[in-house]
């Protein structure tokens, strides 16, 4: 998120430079590509802001999952969408390892059966298994 934020700040500075160059042409015709350049820069800033929002939303989900995990649970069997649980906690484990002292980067390939649906389990215990 920080990279996209830094890049957006640089792009805004470029946009300001373009504005200044456009102001220099007040009494003369604008260069043909000046407005196109401004538009391209603003498109890049918009794309970066969307990525910042996307990553921020993902980080929010990870934090919420961690808080929910730390609370424990009832210890009762309940119907759980096992594929969704595996995806969520694999992602959580992955980002936990990347954020650690010695970060790693791996590719995770999940080959889940779409027909499994919900399974009776103690969700908190199974999620800990995936994390560990």
């Amino acid at each position: 998120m920080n990279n996209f934020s830094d890049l957006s700040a640089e792009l805004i500075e470029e946009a300001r430079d373009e504005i200044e160059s456009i102001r220099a042409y007040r009494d003369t015709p604008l260069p043909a590509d000046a407005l196109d350049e401004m538009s391209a820069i603003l498109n890049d800033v918009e794309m970066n802001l969307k990525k910042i929002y996307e990553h921020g939303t993902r980080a929010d989900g990870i934090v919420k999952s961690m808080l929910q995990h730390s609370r424990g649970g009832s210890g009762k069997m309940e119907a759980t969408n096992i594929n969704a649980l595996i995806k969520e906690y694999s992602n959580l484990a992955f980002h936990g390892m990347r954020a650690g002292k010695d970060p790693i980067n791996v590719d995770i390939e999940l080959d889940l059966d779409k027909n499994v649906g919900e399974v009776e389990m103690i969700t908190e215990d199974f999620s800990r298994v995936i994390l560990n």
Side-chain angles (χ1 to χ4, degrees), residues 15 18-19 21-22 25 29-41:
E18 284 297 318
I19 289 170
S21 72
I22 290 170
Y25 289 96
L30 287 173
D33 64 340
L35 294 177
D36 291 340
E37 182 66 23
M38 279 292 298
S39 181
I41 290 170

Side-chain angles (χ1 to χ4, degrees), residues 1-21:
M1 288 188 313
N2 291 339
N3 290 341
F4 285 112
S5 177
D6 288 342
L7 185 57
S8 293
E10 289 175 19
L11 289 169
I12 288 171
E13 187 60 37
E14 285 182 37
R16 285 186 181 122
D17 291 344
E18 284 297 318
I19 289 170
E20 289 305 315
S21 72

Side-chain angles (χ1 to χ4, degrees), residues 68-104:
Q68 186 178 26
H69 174 73
S70 69
R71 287 188 202 118
S74 64
K76 293 182 181 177
M77 297 282 277
E78 55 187 7
T80 304
N81 181 329
I82 192 165
N83 286 344
L85 186 75
I86 290 170
K87 286 179 189 176
E88 179 181 359
Y89 281 90
S90 295
N91 192 34
L92 182 61
F94 171 77
H95 288 289
M97 291 300 295
R98 285 191 52 180
K101 188 175 182 181
D102 298 313
I104 63 166

Side-chain angles (χ1 to χ4, degrees), residues 76 78-80 85 89 121-128:
K76 293 182 181 177
E78 55 187 7
T80 304
L85 186 75
Y89 281 90
M121 68 172 73
I122 301 173
T123 306
E124 298 81 23
D125 290 349
F126 192 80
S127 62
R128 279 198 245 1

Side-chain angles (χ1 to χ4, degrees), residues 26-123:
R26 281 188 186 171
D27 297 329
T28 59
L30 287 173
D33 64 340
L35 294 177
D36 291 340
E37 182 66 23
M38 279 292 298
S39 181
I41 290 170
L42 292 173
N43 287 339
D44 288 345
V45 170
E46 181 181 31
M47 185 175 62
N48 287 343
L49 292 173
K50 287 178 181 178
K51 282 292 185 182
I52 290 169
Y53 180 81
E54 179 186 320
H55 290 291
T57 302
R58 190 182 79 227
D60 181 58
I62 290 169
V63 169
K64 285 180 181 174
S65 292
M66 291 172 63
L67 290 172
Q68 186 178 26
H69 174 73
S70 69
R71 287 188 202 118
S74 64
K76 293 182 181 177
M77 297 282 277
E78 55 187 7
T80 304
N81 181 329
I82 192 165
N83 286 344
L85 186 75
I86 290 170
K87 286 179 189 176
E88 179 181 359
Y89 281 90
S90 295
N91 192 34
L92 182 61
F94 171 77
H95 288 289
M97 291 300 295
R98 285 191 52 180
K101 188 175 182 181
D102 298 313
I104 63 166
N105 193 14
V106 297
D107 292 324
I108 297 175
E109 284 189 38
L110 298 175
D111 186 14
L112 305 173
D113 185 348
K114 295 176 182 174
N115 298 318
V116 172
E118 293 192 343
V119 176
E120 287 284 321
M121 68 172 73
I122 301 173
T123 306

